[in-house]
Amino acid sequence: MAVLIAQAMPLGGLQPTYAAAAGGGDQAPIGEKLVLHVRNDDASAKTVTVATPGTVGGLAIADAAQVIPAGGDAFIPLKSTYRDPATGRAAVTYSAATSVTVAVLQLP
């Protein structure tokens, strides 16, 4: 698992640096103004899942899953709901990592 670093977006804009999605998943920081931008440059759709380790009334909260179409992208907010108590980060996995790139953006 790779640890992703947030890139601060200044008011003037940002050309982010993307990392290849790790086959075993990634860890991302969480926070109110953080988003995970996922780009899928493959010819088939991919599913990105962010683990939700919490419970409500003893019942597990469902993980967040986002299907990204071929050639598409998605923004996923990295809220405290996704905080893994062991790492303090969000655990992100991919149905397949081929041709998938990611960046964590910190909005102004």
Side-chain angles (χ1 to χ4, degrees):
M1 254 189 188
V3 176
L4 303 174
I5 305 299
Q7 300 173 59
M9 183 182 302
L11 292 176
L14 171 72
Q15 296 209 356
T17 301
Y18 289 84
D26 291 312
Q27 292 182 7
I30 56 161
E32 287 305 310
K33 293 188 175 188
L34 294 178
V35 295
L36 177 66
H37 186 207
V38 183
R39 299 189 310 186
N40 176 15
D41 293 327
D42 199 25
S44 61
K46 305 289 173 69
T47 301
V48 178
T49 303
V50 183
T52 308
T55 61
V56 174
L59 300 173
I61 300 170
D63 292 343
Q66 177 75 45
V67 176
I68 303 174
D73 64 342
F75 290 91
I76 301 168
L78 293 168
K79 301 292 186 183
S80 60
T81 306
Y82 304 125
R83 183 182 182 281
D84 180 327
T87 65
R89 297 177 169 272
V92 182
T93 57
Y94 315 95
S95 58
T98 304
S99 299
V100 175
T101 55
V102 295
V104 175
L105 308 174
Q106 182 177 9
L107 304 175

